[in-house]
Amino acid sequence: MNDELIQHARQVLSDNDRGTYTVPTHGLYPFQWNWDSALSALGFAHFDEPRAWTEIETLMAHQWDDGMVPHIIFHQLDDGYFPGPGVWATNRSVPTSGITQPPVAGFAVRRIHDRAADKALATRKAKKLLPKIHAWHQWFYRCRDPQGTGLVALLHPWESGRDNSVDWDDAFERVPTEGVGSFTRRDTTHANPAHRPTDEQYRRYIWLVQKFRSLGWDNTLLHDASPFKVVDPGFNAILIRSCEDVADLAGRLGLTEIAAQSRAMAEKGITAMESLWSETLGQYQCYDRAASKPIDSPSIGGILAAFAPIPKARAAALTDRIEALAKACNYLVPSHDPTAPEFDGLRYWRGPVWLIVNYMIADGLQRAGQFSMANRIRADSVRLIEHSGFAEYHDPITAEPCGGAHFTWTAAMVIEIFSTYEVAA
Ligand code: DGY
């Protein structure tokens, strides 16, 4: 059964492979997405190491001069997606979006390097990639944390990767929709509209894009100018973990300055994360930087924090929290608490399970010694795929497959999980 699933997963990856990059899925997402690529490289690495490195190299080749790595690279024209390059208008030879996404590439590079059969190739590739990834991390702390708090803010829900999370609802109310003009969504022609964000949310997404475009995508201006500025523990955890991984690998490869700077960023971040802990929720929570107040929302963002080297006691408390969520669903880990009134088991990041997030949470819990919960999350992930296939995300109660089908990073996670861990049945 495992072999069959792995073969199927490899087929998904090769069907979505465009040579030097992979699309998340045909139709719905016809370009290269940032964190999709980095996580998909983990899957490729198990059967084609050069191809895994190419995936990350292609992503980093489109880094901006200021260090930002965009969330979409529009390698070829495709009018089946909105908003396309004309809406972003970032004025680059190969068009890109103008915002970023969770910086998981640092983690991926270290993991692929550590396991590489071809160590010489891995070392050559990593030595070229690490300075670029480090520049991206520095960009985050410079442009998204101008006050030096140790925590970076997201300026657009799309940056979080958790586009329509309940976490953003209140803060998003402050984003106007006047003057946005009319547009036609394309996502709802590829996926069930009940699985996707609402039209109202799309108007606000586009308002922010237009605002940033009017500022010439100048990252020295965007943070202060944006009415949406949210600190997400999950996002910060990914950044901190990547800084830590870059520090470790750079140290081993003799890149001592990068190692020292990365270590310092990770340590500052981990200390600052403590301010996001909510005793009431028993997990981390987001912080609305524009309104200067915590966001009291029981989402997976505060559980994904386990991916960072948080204190052991916090990891144990997150395990308790996941135990509580398990009582309200059949498959861990729901992206929103099923007992909360806003929960919607089908709608993107307002309830469904995402395998990539499961993988990162399990990885962090495992590092913190929470072995049994880490195994349980991986076992639930596999059960979901066996039951419902390689969908983009799944309903945590019914296992209904949602969003796009034949999904690259879902397949990559299946390969990664089976090839790396003993998965309890
Ligand atoms: C989408 O189009 O749904 C993406 O998540 C935005 O990057």
Side-chain angles (χ1 to χ4, degrees):
M1 187 60 188
N2 296 0
D3 286 352
E4 233 173 78
L5 270 186
I6 291 177
Q7 279 317 317
H8 189 164
R10 282 175 60 161
Q11 189 61 46
V12 172
L13 258 59
S14 64
D15 289 348
N16 292 335
D17 185 357
R18 297 292 176 270
T20 55
Y21 68 96
T22 327
V23 297
T25 187
H26 173 76
L28 183 59
Y29 304 115
F31 313 108
Q32 184 178 25
W33 261 259
N34 184 326
W35 70 324
D36 290 73
S37 261
L39 290 163
S40 301
L42 292 174
F44 277 115
H46 290 285
F47 60 97
D48 187 346
E49 287 179 11
R51 182 63 189 80
W53 290 114
T54 302
E55 188 74 26
I56 303 179
E57 283 171 336
T58 307
L59 173 67
M60 297 309 295
H62 297 273
Q63 182 167 35
W64 286 18
D65 288 346
D66 66 359
M68 200 269 285
V69 182
H71 98 295
I72 307 175
I73 298 147
F74 298 103
H75 289 284
Q76 54 187 31
L77 289 179
D78 191 317
D79 60 11
Y81 180 81
F82 175 84
V87 179
W88 292 95
T90 53
N91 205 17
R92 297 183 55 84
S93 52
V94 175
T96 72
S97 70
I99 56 172
T100 192
Q101 247 183 349
V104 78
F107 159 77
V109 164
R110 184 213 168 151
R111 181 138 291 183
I112 295 169
H113 183 277
D114 283 0
R115 292 187 190 148
D118 189 343
K119 270 287 188 274
L121 175 75
T123 297
R124 238 178 14 254
K125 298 291 185 185
K127 274 190 161 166
K128 286 221 167 102
L129 286 167
L130 287 178
K132 296 181 184 190
I133 294 172
H134 179 55
W136 184 22
H137 295 169
Q138 290 180 308
W139 170 85
F140 269 113
Y141 288 113
R142 195 171 66 246
C143 295
R144 297 309 177 77
D145 181 23
Q147 304 296 321
T149 65
L151 295 170
V152 301
L154 309 165
L155 307 186
H156 194 299
W158 285 341
E159 292 197 313
S160 70
R162 299 189 295 115
D163 302 8
N164 68 340
S165 168
V166 176
D167 294 354
W168 328 133
D169 285 1
D170 287 350
F172 221 25
E173 284 292 309
R174 284 195 306 276
V175 176
T177 54
E178 286 75 37
V180 165
S182 62
F183 56 82
T184 307
R185 289 177 63 175
R186 303 305 305 267
D187 56 312
T188 43
T189 63
H190 302 290
N192 183 342
H195 298 176
R196 297 284 306 170
T198 62
D199 285 348
E200 186 61 20
Q201 283 162 337
Y202 256 78
R203 278 190 282 280
R204 296 181 205 275
Y205 295 150
I206 299 305
W207 188 93
L208 284 172
V209 171
Q210 292 176 350
K211 171 77 179 168
F212 301 154
R213 189 179 69 196
S214 77
L215 296 169
W217 297 109
D218 179 347
N219 274 303
T220 63
L221 304 177
L222 301 194
H223 179 277
D224 290 354
S226 179
F228 182 87
K229 258 191 289 282
V230 173
V231 175
D232 171 10
F235 191 100
N236 276 276
I238 290 173
L239 177 56
I240 292 165
R241 175 68 183 273
S242 281
C243 284
E244 192 201 27
D245 284 337
V246 166
D248 183 89
L249 183 55
R252 283 186 276 137
L253 300 183
L255 305 169
T256 47
E257 196 176 328
I258 291 180
Q261 291 172 351
S262 299
R263 180 83 52 212
M265 291 191 292
E267 278 168 8
K268 185 168 173 183
I270 213 66
T271 305
M273 278 280 280
E274 205 43 31
S275 69
L276 302 178
W277 181 259
S278 161
E279 216 45 67
T280 323
L281 295 178
Q283 61 167 80
Y284 295 87
Q285 64 185 359
C286 292
Y287 181 78
D288 187 337
R289 186 175 278 171
S292 304
K293 60 169 197 217
I295 300 174
D296 180 18
S297 169
S299 86
I300 203 162
I303 297 172
L304 177 54
F307 193 50
I310 53 171
K312 287 248 167 24
R314 294 292 186 225
L318 287 178
T319 294
D320 293 344
R321 174 80 187 118
I322 301 170
E323 289 274 6
L325 292 173
K327 295 195 171 62
C329 66
N330 296 315
Y331 300 90
L332 290 170
V333 181
S335 50
H336 202 73
D337 185 335
T339 64
E342 301 87 355
F343 171 81
D344 182 340
L346 300 174
R347 207 181 273 282
Y348 217 28
W349 289 93
R350 299 177 80 86
V353 177
W354 291 73
L355 245 63
I356 37 119
V357 179
N358 274 8
Y359 169 74
M360 289 187 275
I361 294 172
D363 180 275
L365 291 180
Q366 170 119 358
R367 282 194 352 147
Q370 299 292 326
F371 302 116
S372 118
M373 182 53 82
N375 285 334
R376 184 166 166 193
I377 292 171
R378 287 190 287 258
D380 276 14
S381 307
V382 168
R383 274 199 306 126
L384 255 188
I385 303 308
E386 282 171 348
H387 190 282
S388 301
F390 294 86
E392 186 178 3
Y393 42 97
H394 297 83
D395 186 309
I397 294 166
T398 65
E400 182 173 335
C402 303
H406 216 61
F407 218 83
T408 304
W409 70 8
T410 307
M413 291 300 99
V414 168
I415 299 172
E416 169 73 2
I417 290 172
F418 276 133
S419 313
T420 316
Y421 304 96
E422 284 293 318
V423 183

Short mmCIF file of all heavy atoms in Angstrom, two decimals, residues 28-29 33 35 71-72 81-83 88 99 101 156 158-159 161-163 187 196-197 202 205 348-349 392, ligand 1:
data_model
loop_
_atom_site.label_atom_id
_atom_site.label_comp_id
_atom_site.label_asym_id
_atom_site.label_seq_id
_atom_site.Cartn_x
_atom_site.Cartn_y
_atom_site.Cartn_z
N LEU A 28 -5.86 25.60 -11.42
CA LEU A 28 -6.09 26.55 -10.31
C LEU A 28 -4.85 27.41 -10.03
O LEU A 28 -4.97 28.61 -9.78
CB LEU A 28 -6.49 25.74 -9.06
CG LEU A 28 -6.85 26.48 -7.78
CD1 LEU A 28 -8.02 27.44 -7.97
CD2 LEU A 28 -7.21 25.47 -6.66
N TYR A 29 -3.68 26.80 -10.07
CA TYR A 29 -2.43 27.52 -9.77
C TYR A 29 -1.38 27.21 -10.85
O TYR A 29 -0.54 26.32 -10.68
CB TYR A 29 -1.86 27.09 -8.41
CG TYR A 29 -2.80 27.25 -7.24
CD1 TYR A 29 -3.25 26.13 -6.54
CD2 TYR A 29 -3.20 28.50 -6.79
CE1 TYR A 29 -4.09 26.26 -5.44
CE2 TYR A 29 -4.04 28.65 -5.69
CZ TYR A 29 -4.48 27.51 -5.03
OH TYR A 29 -5.30 27.64 -3.93
N TRP A 33 4.69 28.81 -7.06
CA TRP A 33 4.42 29.44 -5.76
C TRP A 33 5.58 29.15 -4.83
O TRP A 33 6.15 28.06 -4.83
CB TRP A 33 3.11 28.89 -5.16
CG TRP A 33 1.94 29.79 -5.39
CD1 TRP A 33 1.39 30.66 -4.49
CD2 TRP A 33 1.14 29.93 -6.57
NE1 TRP A 33 0.32 31.32 -5.06
CE2 TRP A 33 0.14 30.90 -6.33
CE3 TRP A 33 1.18 29.33 -7.83
CZ2 TRP A 33 -0.80 31.28 -7.28
CZ3 TRP A 33 0.24 29.71 -8.79
CH2 TRP A 33 -0.73 30.67 -8.50
N TRP A 35 6.25 28.91 -1.22
CA TRP A 35 6.43 27.86 -0.21
C TRP A 35 6.01 26.50 -0.76
O TRP A 35 6.50 25.48 -0.30
CB TRP A 35 5.81 28.22 1.13
CG TRP A 35 4.32 28.28 1.31
CD1 TRP A 35 3.39 28.70 0.44
CD2 TRP A 35 3.61 27.91 2.52
NE1 TRP A 35 2.14 28.64 1.01
CE2 TRP A 35 2.25 28.16 2.28
CE3 TRP A 35 4.00 27.41 3.77
CZ2 TRP A 35 1.26 27.93 3.25
CZ3 TRP A 35 3.02 27.18 4.73
CH2 TRP A 35 1.67 27.44 4.47
N HIS A 71 5.92 35.72 -3.86
CA HIS A 71 5.12 34.53 -3.60
C HIS A 71 4.70 33.80 -4.87
O HIS A 71 4.50 32.61 -4.85
CB HIS A 71 3.96 34.83 -2.65
CG HIS A 71 2.60 35.09 -3.22
ND1 HIS A 71 2.30 36.17 -4.03
CD2 HIS A 71 1.44 34.42 -3.06
CE1 HIS A 71 1.00 36.14 -4.32
NE2 HIS A 71 0.45 35.09 -3.75
N ILE A 72 4.61 34.52 -6.01
CA ILE A 72 4.33 33.85 -7.28
C ILE A 72 5.34 34.30 -8.32
O ILE A 72 5.66 35.49 -8.41
CB ILE A 72 2.93 34.20 -7.84
CG1 ILE A 72 1.82 33.97 -6.82
CG2 ILE A 72 2.63 33.40 -9.12
CD1 ILE A 72 0.43 34.42 -7.31
N TYR A 81 -5.69 32.42 -14.30
CA TYR A 81 -5.48 32.79 -12.90
C TYR A 81 -5.70 34.29 -12.72
O TYR A 81 -5.29 35.10 -13.56
CB TYR A 81 -4.05 32.44 -12.46
CG TYR A 81 -3.79 32.80 -11.01
CD1 TYR A 81 -4.22 31.97 -9.98
CD2 TYR A 81 -3.15 34.01 -10.68
CE1 TYR A 81 -4.00 32.31 -8.64
CE2 TYR A 81 -2.93 34.35 -9.35
CZ TYR A 81 -3.36 33.50 -8.34
OH TYR A 81 -3.16 33.84 -7.03
N PHE A 82 -6.33 34.64 -11.63
CA PHE A 82 -6.47 36.05 -11.25
C PHE A 82 -6.01 36.19 -9.80
O PHE A 82 -6.40 35.37 -8.97
CB PHE A 82 -7.94 36.49 -11.37
CG PHE A 82 -8.15 37.89 -10.86
CD1 PHE A 82 -7.91 38.98 -11.69
CD2 PHE A 82 -8.51 38.13 -9.54
CE1 PHE A 82 -8.05 40.28 -11.21
CE2 PHE A 82 -8.65 39.43 -9.06
CZ PHE A 82 -8.42 40.50 -9.90
N PRO A 83 -5.25 37.21 -9.45
CA PRO A 83 -4.72 38.31 -10.25
C PRO A 83 -3.40 37.97 -10.94
O PRO A 83 -2.44 37.56 -10.30
CB PRO A 83 -4.49 39.40 -9.19
CG PRO A 83 -4.21 38.66 -7.92
CD PRO A 83 -4.95 37.35 -8.01
N TRP A 88 -0.45 42.93 -10.74
CA TRP A 88 0.66 43.18 -9.80
C TRP A 88 1.57 44.30 -10.32
O TRP A 88 2.04 45.12 -9.54
CB TRP A 88 1.49 41.89 -9.61
CG TRP A 88 0.73 40.82 -8.88
CD1 TRP A 88 0.01 39.79 -9.44
CD2 TRP A 88 0.56 40.68 -7.47
NE1 TRP A 88 -0.56 39.02 -8.46
CE2 TRP A 88 -0.24 39.54 -7.24
CE3 TRP A 88 1.03 41.40 -6.36
CZ2 TRP A 88 -0.60 39.11 -5.96
CZ3 TRP A 88 0.68 40.96 -5.09
CH2 TRP A 88 -0.13 39.84 -4.90
N ILE A 99 4.45 40.48 -3.16
CA ILE A 99 4.46 40.12 -1.73
C ILE A 99 5.17 38.78 -1.58
O ILE A 99 5.50 38.14 -2.57
CB ILE A 99 3.02 40.06 -1.16
CG1 ILE A 99 2.17 39.07 -1.96
CG2 ILE A 99 2.39 41.44 -1.13
CD1 ILE A 99 0.79 38.79 -1.36
N GLN A 101 5.91 34.98 0.95
CA GLN A 101 5.19 33.83 1.54
C GLN A 101 6.07 33.19 2.62
O GLN A 101 7.24 33.55 2.74
CB GLN A 101 4.86 32.81 0.43
CG GLN A 101 3.38 32.71 0.18
CD GLN A 101 2.98 31.68 -0.83
OE1 GLN A 101 3.81 31.13 -1.55
NE2 GLN A 101 1.69 31.40 -0.91
N HIS A 156 -0.29 41.24 3.95
CA HIS A 156 -1.38 40.75 3.10
C HIS A 156 -1.69 39.32 3.54
O HIS A 156 -0.74 38.55 3.77
CB HIS A 156 -0.93 40.79 1.63
CG HIS A 156 -2.06 40.64 0.65
ND1 HIS A 156 -2.86 39.51 0.61
CD2 HIS A 156 -2.54 41.47 -0.30
CE1 HIS A 156 -3.78 39.65 -0.34
NE2 HIS A 156 -3.62 40.84 -0.90
N TRP A 158 -2.42 36.84 1.90
CA TRP A 158 -1.78 35.87 1.00
C TRP A 158 -0.35 35.59 1.42
O TRP A 158 0.21 34.56 1.06
CB TRP A 158 -1.81 36.38 -0.45
CG TRP A 158 -3.16 36.27 -1.11
CD1 TRP A 158 -4.20 35.46 -0.72
CD2 TRP A 158 -3.61 36.95 -2.28
NE1 TRP A 158 -5.27 35.61 -1.56
CE2 TRP A 158 -4.94 36.52 -2.54
CE3 TRP A 158 -3.04 37.89 -3.13
CZ2 TRP A 158 -5.69 37.00 -3.62
CZ3 TRP A 158 -3.78 38.36 -4.21
CH2 TRP A 158 -5.08 37.92 -4.46
N GLU A 159 0.28 36.52 2.13
CA GLU A 159 1.65 36.27 2.57
C GLU A 159 1.71 35.13 3.59
O GLU A 159 2.67 34.38 3.65
CB GLU A 159 2.27 37.53 3.19
CG GLU A 159 2.49 38.62 2.16
CD GLU A 159 3.45 39.70 2.61
OE1 GLU A 159 3.29 40.19 3.75
OE2 GLU A 159 4.36 40.04 1.84
N GLY A 161 0.03 32.53 3.64
CA GLY A 161 -0.31 31.23 3.07
C GLY A 161 -1.68 30.77 3.57
O GLY A 161 -2.31 29.92 2.96
N ARG A 162 -2.15 31.34 4.67
CA ARG A 162 -3.45 30.94 5.25
C ARG A 162 -4.48 32.03 4.87
O ARG A 162 -5.04 32.72 5.72
CB ARG A 162 -3.33 30.80 6.77
CG ARG A 162 -2.34 29.75 7.19
CD ARG A 162 -2.37 29.45 8.68
NE ARG A 162 -1.96 30.54 9.53
CZ ARG A 162 -2.75 31.17 10.40
NH1 ARG A 162 -4.03 30.82 10.51
NH2 ARG A 162 -2.29 32.15 11.13
N ASP A 163 -4.72 32.15 3.58
CA ASP A 163 -5.38 33.32 2.98
C ASP A 163 -6.62 33.83 3.72
O ASP A 163 -6.76 35.02 3.94
CB ASP A 163 -5.80 33.01 1.54
CG ASP A 163 -4.63 32.60 0.65
OD1 ASP A 163 -3.52 32.41 1.16
OD2 ASP A 163 -4.85 32.49 -0.56
N ASP A 187 -10.37 31.58 -9.80
CA ASP A 187 -10.21 30.41 -8.92
C ASP A 187 -11.52 29.61 -8.81
O ASP A 187 -11.51 28.39 -8.76
CB ASP A 187 -9.73 30.84 -7.53
CG ASP A 187 -10.65 31.87 -6.86
OD1 ASP A 187 -11.02 32.86 -7.52
OD2 ASP A 187 -11.01 31.67 -5.68
N ARG A 196 -13.56 28.10 -1.24
CA ARG A 196 -12.63 29.21 -1.50
C ARG A 196 -13.00 30.45 -0.68
O ARG A 196 -14.08 30.52 -0.11
CB ARG A 196 -12.68 29.55 -3.01
CG ARG A 196 -12.22 28.44 -3.95
CD ARG A 196 -10.72 28.27 -3.96
NE ARG A 196 -10.02 29.51 -4.27
CZ ARG A 196 -8.71 29.68 -4.16
NH1 ARG A 196 -7.94 28.69 -3.75
NH2 ARG A 196 -8.15 30.83 -4.44
N PRO A 197 -12.12 31.46 -0.64
CA PRO A 197 -12.47 32.72 0.04
C PRO A 197 -13.70 33.37 -0.61
O PRO A 197 -14.08 33.03 -1.74
CB PRO A 197 -11.22 33.58 -0.18
CG PRO A 197 -10.12 32.61 -0.43
CD PRO A 197 -10.74 31.45 -1.14
N TYR A 202 -11.97 38.82 -1.48
CA TYR A 202 -11.20 39.11 -2.69
C TYR A 202 -11.10 40.60 -2.96
O TYR A 202 -10.05 41.08 -3.38
CB TYR A 202 -11.76 38.35 -3.91
CG TYR A 202 -10.90 37.16 -4.26
CD1 TYR A 202 -10.98 36.00 -3.51
CD2 TYR A 202 -9.94 37.22 -5.27
CE1 TYR A 202 -10.15 34.92 -3.77
CE2 TYR A 202 -9.11 36.15 -5.54
CZ TYR A 202 -9.22 35.00 -4.79
OH TYR A 202 -8.38 33.94 -5.06
N TYR A 205 -8.43 41.75 -0.73
CA TYR A 205 -7.11 41.29 -1.20
C TYR A 205 -6.61 42.22 -2.31
O TYR A 205 -5.44 42.61 -2.35
CB TYR A 205 -7.19 39.88 -1.82
CG TYR A 205 -7.56 38.73 -0.91
CD1 TYR A 205 -8.24 37.61 -1.41
CD2 TYR A 205 -7.22 38.71 0.44
CE1 TYR A 205 -8.57 36.53 -0.61
CE2 TYR A 205 -7.55 37.64 1.25
CZ TYR A 205 -8.24 36.55 0.72
OH TYR A 205 -8.57 35.48 1.50
N TYR A 348 -11.18 26.29 2.80
CA TYR A 348 -9.78 26.72 2.70
C TYR A 348 -9.09 26.72 4.06
O TYR A 348 -8.82 25.66 4.60
CB TYR A 348 -9.78 28.09 2.04
CG TYR A 348 -8.64 28.39 1.07
CD1 TYR A 348 -7.99 27.40 0.35
CD2 TYR A 348 -8.24 29.71 0.86
CE1 TYR A 348 -6.97 27.72 -0.54
CE2 TYR A 348 -7.22 30.03 -0.04
CZ TYR A 348 -6.59 29.03 -0.73
OH TYR A 348 -5.58 29.36 -1.61
N TRP A 349 -8.84 27.86 4.66
CA TRP A 349 -8.10 27.88 5.93
C TRP A 349 -8.99 28.13 7.14
O TRP A 349 -8.52 28.51 8.20
CB TRP A 349 -6.98 28.94 5.86
CG TRP A 349 -5.88 28.49 4.94
CD1 TRP A 349 -5.75 28.77 3.61
CD2 TRP A 349 -4.77 27.64 5.26
NE1 TRP A 349 -4.64 28.16 3.09
CE2 TRP A 349 -4.02 27.47 4.08
CE3 TRP A 349 -4.34 27.00 6.43
CZ2 TRP A 349 -2.84 26.70 4.03
CZ3 TRP A 349 -3.17 26.24 6.38
CH2 TRP A 349 -2.45 26.10 5.19
N GLU A 392 -5.88 19.27 -2.32
CA GLU A 392 -5.18 20.43 -1.74
C GLU A 392 -5.38 20.45 -0.22
O GLU A 392 -4.45 20.69 0.54
CB GLU A 392 -5.76 21.71 -2.38
CG GLU A 392 -5.05 22.98 -1.98
CD GLU A 392 -5.62 24.21 -2.68
OE1 GLU A 392 -6.60 24.07 -3.44
OE2 GLU A 392 -5.08 25.31 -2.46
C1 DGY B 1 -4.59 31.94 -4.30
O1 DGY B 1 -4.64 32.45 -5.41
O2 DGY B 1 -5.52 31.35 -3.74
C2 DGY B 1 -3.34 31.96 -3.59
O3 DGY B 1 -3.40 31.35 -2.35
C3 DGY B 1 -2.82 33.34 -3.46
O4 DGY B 1 -1.48 33.19 -3.49
#
